């Protein structure tokens, strides 16, 4: 029943927001424009073009699916999700179908996690519904961006790490996929937070975590199999990732600390490019600051009440404010917030259900 309701809500949200990802067909000239945007394989004087991240990911994914080395095209992000865009484009000529599947997966995983921590189907369904109508979430249905896939894998890793603690091989596979979905700096935050929670709960197993890391590294290398083939097995993946990390520090660190928090709370951003004007966020909703206030207050209360022995709901509450603090050192982009929205809405929904349940009980 919940699956049917969630699917219906998602389709209705697409209709309300006038998003139709099903009729898109790939621009046959996109690959040529991509070459001109990247000066690959040769530069044409006066014809340099600029593409959106959406177009770059579609073009790069298509080239990957045709056998291109992912370290040569759009190297700054690992190739997993772009491979999915590429193979879906070759199969259906529509990469956005990947985003539709990932959107439904994120809604269903949000429901599963919400029900697991609260044992309330009403709260879990409310959390999924809040996520389904969020304008930022819906925008991913028509944007081939990597953050949605990263969000699905983050919540999957949380579920298998906290609920299925002995499935270290499954944790390792999902961790490896997570680290190859998008550049892994943001993923490290969640990996550290989840394992710190397990450590506090005395459920952290060093031996199993070692197995998990080894499995993840194998999966990570497997996704880069084409690069190993291109370099005849001599591809130094550790050196390559360190080079990518250097690139990330140079291009992604914010020149205005705290800009992400301001954007999340107000919907406004001062650009660090062009005329440096104040811009209005395209997908901002008032639910974000309301949810952040609710989850921040709830997390402080729970930590004080539990005397540093948090349960899983406390972890859910803590994720939103702490991840925003982490994002404050990065350049501010709306799309980065999709990773924290499932936990924000689970926290909001659980708080609302608790409030109205107590109110009904008093009556």
């Amino acid at each position: 029943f919940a699956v049917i309701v969630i699917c219906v809500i998602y389709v209705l949200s697409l209709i309300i927001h006038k998003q139709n990802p099903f009729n898109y067909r790939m621009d046959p000239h996109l690959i040529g424009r991509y070459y001109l945007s990247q000066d690959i394989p040769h530069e044409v004087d006066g014809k340099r073009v600029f593409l959106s991240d959406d177009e770059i990911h579609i073009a790069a994914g298509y080239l990957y699916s045709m056998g291109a080395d992912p370290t040569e095209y759009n190297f700054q992000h690992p190739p997993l999700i772009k491979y999915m865009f590429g193979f879906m484009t070759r199969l259906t000529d529509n990469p956005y179908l990947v985003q539709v599947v990932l959107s439904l997966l994120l809604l269903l995983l949000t429901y599963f996690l919400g029900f697991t921590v609260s044992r309330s189907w009403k709260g879990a369904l409310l959390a999924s519904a809040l996520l389904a109508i969020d304008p930022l979430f819906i925008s991913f249905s028509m944007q081939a961006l990597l953050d949605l896939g990263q969000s699905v894998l983050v919540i999957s890793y949380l579920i298998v790490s906290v609920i299925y603690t002995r499935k270290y091989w499954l944790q390792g596979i999902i961790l490896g996929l997570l680290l190859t979905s998008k550049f892994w700096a943001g993923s490290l935050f969640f990996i550290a937070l989840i394992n710190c929670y397990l450590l506090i709960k005395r459920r952290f197993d060093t031996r199993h975590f070692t197995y998990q890391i080894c499995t993840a590294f194998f999966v990570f290398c497997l996704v880069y199999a084409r690069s190993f083939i291109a370099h005849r097995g001599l591809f130094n993946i550790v050196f390559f990732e360190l080079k990518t990390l250097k690139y990330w520090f140079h291009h992604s660190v914010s020149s205005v600390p705290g800009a992400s928090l301001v954007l999340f709370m107000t919907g406004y951003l001062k650009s660090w490019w062009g005329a440096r004007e104040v811009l209005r966020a395209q997908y901002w909703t008032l639910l974000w600051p309301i949810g952040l206030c609710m989850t921040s207050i709830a997390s402080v209360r729970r930590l004080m009440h539990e005397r540093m022995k948090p349960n899983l709901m406390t972890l859910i509450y803590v994720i939103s404010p702490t991840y925003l603090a982490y994002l404050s050192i990065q350049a501010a982009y709306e799309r980065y917030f999709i990773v924290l929205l499932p936990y924000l809405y689970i926290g909001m929904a659980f708080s609302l259900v608790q409030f109205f349940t107590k109110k009904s009980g008093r009556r």
Side-chain angles (χ1 to χ4, degrees):
F1 172 76
V3 171
I4 294 172
V5 171
I6 288 169
C7 291
V8 170
I9 292 173
Y10 174 65
V11 172
L12 289 175
S13 294
L14 288 176
I15 295 171
I16 292 170
H17 288 88
K18 299 180 180 179
Q19 300 278 355
N20 185 2
F22 302 102
N23 292 336
Y24 174 84
R25 293 296 177 267
M26 180 179 169
D27 179 1
H29 305 293
L30 178 60
I31 302 300
R33 291 194 294 118
Y34 174 73
Y35 285 146
L36 292 176
S37 75
Q38 305 290 308
D39 294 337
I40 303 172
H42 55 274
E43 183 175 358
V44 181
D45 291 336
K47 292 190 176 181
R48 181 69 181 267
V49 298
F50 295 92
L51 301 183
S52 65
D53 288 345
D54 168 82
E55 293 172 306
I56 289 172
H57 294 155
I58 293 173
Y62 185 83
L63 291 172
Y64 296 171
S65 71
M66 297 297 291
D69 183 353
T71 64
E72 299 293 332
Y73 301 90
N74 193 227
F75 74 91
Q76 58 267 39
H77 288 296
L80 177 66
I81 306 299
K82 288 177 283 185
Y83 267 121
M84 295 169 66
F85 292 148
F87 284 114
M88 184 61 77
T89 300
R90 292 182 62 189
L91 183 65
T92 67
D93 209 28
N94 185 357
Y96 296 132
L97 296 181
V98 171
Q99 299 295 71
V100 172
V101 173
L102 291 174
S103 295
L104 288 170
L105 276 175
L106 187 59
L107 290 173
L108 293 172
L109 289 169
T110 299
Y111 175 86
F112 178 80
L113 181 60
F115 181 78
T116 301
V117 298
S118 67
R119 292 299 170 188
S120 167
W121 69 267
K122 294 179 182 178
L125 197 57
L126 177 59
S128 297
L130 289 171
L131 179 60
I133 64 174
D134 187 280
L136 177 64
F137 170 78
I138 288 297
S139 73
F140 279 92
S141 300
M142 288 293 290
Q143 295 188 84
L145 300 176
L146 310 179
D147 309 80
L148 180 61
Q150 182 191 36
S151 303
V152 170
L153 290 165
V154 165
I155 195 170
S156 299
Y157 180 70
L158 188 153
I159 289 170
V160 297
S161 296
V162 175
I163 300 173
Y164 304 105
T165 55
R166 296 296 176 183
K167 303 288 187 181
Y168 68 86
W169 57 271
L170 180 59
Q171 296 162 9
I173 291 173
I174 293 177
L175 178 57
L177 295 176
L178 170 60
L179 295 174
T180 53
S181 63
K182 188 186 173 184
F183 182 65
W184 36 263
S187 300
L188 291 181
F189 167 86
F190 286 94
I191 295 166
L193 185 64
I194 292 167
N195 284 285
C196 282
Y197 168 79
L198 293 173
L199 190 62
I200 293 171
K201 298 289 287 184
R202 297 181 180 178
R203 291 162 57 189
F204 181 82
D205 189 310
T206 304
R207 182 167 58 91
H208 282 177
F209 185 69
T210 303
Y211 291 153
Q212 180 189 134
I213 293 297
C214 291
T215 305
F217 183 72
F218 174 78
V219 172
F220 193 92
C221 292
L222 196 61
V223 175
Y224 277 99
R226 183 65 186 85
S227 301
F228 281 97
I229 294 171
H231 292 80
R232 299 180 180 180
L234 300 178
F235 175 55
N236 190 332
I237 195 167
V238 175
F239 177 79
F240 176 77
E241 293 304 321
L242 291 175
K243 185 178 72 172
T244 308
L245 180 63
K246 180 181 177 181
Y247 178 91
W248 181 82
F249 276 121
H250 184 70
H251 289 82
S252 298
V253 175
S254 176
S255 58
V256 184
S260 292
L261 180 59
V262 173
L263 175 60
F264 193 86
M265 293 298 291
T266 67
Y268 286 93
L269 168 71
K270 184 175 181 181
S271 66
W272 60 90
W273 64 91
R276 298 181 180 273
E277 55 189 339
V278 176
L279 304 175
R280 179 73 165 84
Q282 186 176 0
Y283 304 112
W284 184 83
T285 169
L286 188 60
L287 289 176
W288 293 0
I290 293 174
L292 182 62
C293 291
M294 291 175 66
T295 54
S296 298
I297 293 170
S299 62
V300 171
R301 285 180 174 175
R302 279 179 164 266
L303 288 172
M304 292 176 64
H305 175 71
E306 294 163 359
R307 298 184 183 278
M308 297 307 294
K309 293 183 179 179
N311 60 22
L312 185 52
M313 181 54 80
T314 306
L315 175 63
I316 299 300
Y317 279 132
V318 165
I319 286 175
S320 297
T322 53
Y323 188 64
L324 275 173
Y326 161 77
L327 285 180
S328 294
I329 66 172
Q330 293 194 44
Y333 290 103
E334 279 179 281
R335 64 175 183 264
Y336 292 170
F337 300 146
I338 187 65
V339 182
L340 65 84
L341 290 184
Y343 318 103
L344 183 83
Y345 289 133
I346 289 174
M348 281 184 67
F350 183 71
S351 296
L352 289 171
V353 168
Q354 268 194 326
F355 175 78
F356 287 110
T357 300
K358 288 180 180 179
K359 197 171 182 181
S360 300
R362 289 171 184 171
R363 291 178 180 176

